[in-house]
Amino acid sequence: MSETLLITGAAIEGSDRADIVVDGGRIVEIGTGLSRAGATRIDADGLIALPGLVDLHVHLREPGFEASETILTGTRAAAAGGFSAVFAMPNTMPVADNAGVVEQELALGEAAGYATVQPVGAVTVGQKGERLAELGAMASSRANVRVFSDDGSCVADPLLMRRALEYVKGFGGVIAQHAQDPRLTEGAQMNEGVVSAELGLAGWPAVAEESIIARDVLLAQHVGSRLHVCHLSTAGSVDIIRWAKARGIDVTAEVTPHHLLYSDEKVRGYDARYKVNPPLRRAEDVEAVRAGLADGTIDIVATDHAPHPEESKACEWHAAAHGMVGLESALRVVHKTMVDTGLLDWADVARVMSKTPAGIGQLPGHGEDIAEGSGAELTLYDPNVKGVFTTADLRGRSENSPYLGDELPGRTTWTIHRGRVTLADGEIVEQENA
């Protein structure tokens, strides 16, 4: 059950301070000097109130890979990072390519109670890129799937991609493409460039991403459908998205926190925590994706939270799995790379980490302005502290975070989901009768 909360003195989206009363799972009053008999009081003096964060790109691993993460542990990690909703990618076992699996994921999220879990459906059966999955059945299921992706694999066949774009147009869906030409990245180990040449590792060229994006924005224009580009990582990709938007093509794009912060120089130590798909790029690309997020070319930040057990990372670089966990650290990294640099303000953060991702994913009840009558999905964040990121900050099942040992600003202190506190003063609140 939700509770009555009185949040006092919060700076709403970093602006005016106000009190917020939550009751019945909704925001019922905003003002100054408010009181409410019997309410649980949260002193938010010095804290920023944001609409609950929404992550359009998360790997929760369940069903099938519970050694890495479960929907319960993954949503606890989400709550710790200020997220009240996550979109679960379909590369599970079995693959989420039918109504049964996506409805199972939805039910597990509801039972956990820490965040809304919105399943993403696979584009192709088994994510094999051979024939379309049951897109319509997933869309009409209880999970109400509107985002489809073969993330982890590219829909490389242009005819199949065209058919997918045409199919989802009928019910307002969106295809989220993992832009990676498989032929151009065979055997690739890291970004192709000076560092890969010096280390003798097979290079992953930027054009492998950019060529797929260029093809797909033209396909989206041709059929009049919606395209979303996952984890954009290169300066050339930013240029293509900017060009497409100028032509009125219905395309959106995301960038990850790690591509906002790190360059391929991190690979010099062969620490597999930095092995990710797409790879960490050049410093010039880092600057370009920051600028693209700042000017609106890139629409949102999404974590690509990808947990792995220790043995998948504590090995030789070439054998290590791709991926990083990122839910608990995302807001702090965006604070460091975008707010402290003056590229975004806190209202912008609310836009790229809550409002716009909820809009792209068509997720009702999330990404709303903090206003009377809105759903009580809230994040309270302390921007005035800083600290070294450690395993104590992690709440999921895996510890493959690239940020361990890094000093990061800020701290997520409270997360409220459907009017219920899931994170209180930085500590996970055990959920009963979720």
Side-chain angles (χ1 to χ4, degrees):
M1 295 291 291
S2 61
E3 53 189 311
T4 303
L5 306 172
L6 174 61
I7 303 166
T8 60
I12 297 179
E13 296 186 11
S15 185
D16 296 336
R17 293 178 59 192
D19 302 338
I20 304 168
V21 177
V22 171
D23 194 12
R26 307 201 72 78
I27 297 171
V28 297
E29 190 174 5
I30 297 176
T32 56
L34 300 182
S35 62
R36 182 62 62 105
T40 300
R41 182 186 178 95
I42 298 174
D43 182 1
D45 185 36
L47 305 183
I48 294 169
L50 299 169
L53 305 185
V54 177
D55 194 341
L56 199 66
H57 191 147
V58 170
H59 299 273
L60 295 180
R61 303 304 190 203
E62 187 177 14
F65 302 103
E66 289 84 358
S68 299
E69 194 78 283
T70 67
I71 287 174
L72 174 60
T73 62
T75 53
R76 286 169 68 96
F83 291 90
S84 63
V86 295
F87 284 71
M89 284 293 167
N91 54 339
T92 51
M93 187 172 63
V95 170
D97 60 4
N98 61 81
V101 178
V102 295
E103 288 183 346
Q104 177 190 8
E105 293 175 338
L106 181 73
L108 287 168
E110 291 170 341
Y114 286 97
T116 297
V117 174
Q118 176 57 51
V120 174
V123 178
T124 66
V125 175
Q127 295 185 290
K128 294 179 179 180
E130 297 171 353
R131 57 192 177 92
L132 290 184
E134 299 175 7
L135 309 183
M138 288 186 280
S140 60
S141 73
R142 197 171 76 86
N144 194 37
V145 176
R146 287 297 179 270
V147 181
F148 300 87
S149 180
D150 273 1
D151 185 64
S153 300
C154 178
V155 182
D157 183 334
L159 180 58
L160 199 60
M161 185 63 177
R162 172 184 173 167
R163 288 174 175 165
L165 288 164
E166 289 173 329
Y167 196 106
V168 300
K169 181 181 176 182
F171 51 81
V174 59
I175 301 295
Q177 175 69 293
H178 174 109
Q180 176 193 348
D181 187 301
R183 292 298 302 279
L184 291 174
T185 55
E186 288 181 5
Q189 293 292 313
M190 66 169 295
N191 179 61
E192 182 179 279
V194 172
V195 179
S196 66
E198 291 179 358
L199 297 179
L201 293 176
W204 187 310
V207 70
E209 173 177 305
E210 296 158 3
S211 60
I212 295 295
I213 296 174
R215 182 201 75 178
D216 287 352
V217 295
L218 292 174
L219 286 174
Q221 179 185 41
H222 181 67
V223 304
S225 191
R226 296 178 59 212
L227 172 72
H228 179 73
V229 177
C230 297
H231 42 51
L232 179 152
S233 68
T234 77
S237 295
V238 176
D239 289 340
I240 294 166
I241 297 297
R242 187 177 288 119
W243 172 87
K245 288 189 171 184
R247 290 174 66 93
I249 299 172
D250 197 354
V251 58
T252 53
E254 71 190 35
V255 65
T256 70
H258 47 271
H259 286 111
L260 291 170
L261 181 59
Y262 296 133
S263 76
D264 57 0
E265 290 290 334
K266 283 291 187 181
V267 180
R268 290 188 183 277
Y270 296 102
D271 184 339
R273 289 181 302 146
Y274 300 106
K275 186 176 182 181
V276 67
N277 180 349
L280 300 177
R281 302 291 189 179
R282 307 166 303 159
E284 299 96 306
D285 295 304
V286 174
E287 292 304 312
V289 296
R290 289 186 185 185
L293 183 63
D295 69 19
T297 301
I298 300 173
D299 300 86
I300 66 169
V301 175
T303 66
D304 194 8
H305 176 81
H308 291 291
E310 183 179 3
E311 60 269 21
S312 294
K313 285 291 190 177
C315 58
E316 297 85 355
W317 178 270
H318 76 275
H322 293 98
M324 309 165 168
V325 294
L327 283 165
E328 300 97 331
S329 49
L331 184 53
R332 297 173 69 180
V333 175
V334 170
H335 181 177
K336 178 175 182 174
T337 58
M338 300 302 295
V339 179
D340 281 353
T341 57
L343 293 170
L344 295 182
D345 61 22
W346 290 108
D348 293 323
V349 172
R351 171 175 53 83
V352 302
M353 295 190 74
S354 179
K355 298 177 184 180
T356 303
I360 293 170
Q362 302 172 64
L363 189 62
H366 290 273
E368 299 176 336
D369 290 333
I370 298 175
E372 293 179 4
S374 296
E377 307 285 346
L378 295 167
T379 300
L380 299 179
Y381 182 76
D382 186 348
N384 303 306
V385 298
K386 62 176 57 178
V388 174
F389 194 81
T390 71
T391 55
D393 294 300
L394 299 173
R395 298 295 192 276
R397 183 160 283 186
S398 297
E399 296 183 350
N400 55 306
S401 168
Y403 309 108
L404 295 175
D406 287 1
E407 184 174 79
L408 296 175
R411 176 174 178 257
T412 302
T413 55
W414 298 80
T415 306
I416 298 166
H417 171 51
R418 293 179 178 167
R420 179 164 43 186
V421 175
T422 56
L423 184 78
D425 198 19
E427 296 297 326
I428 291 290
V429 176
E430 298 302 324
Q431 298 297 298
E432 297 179 0
N433 302 318

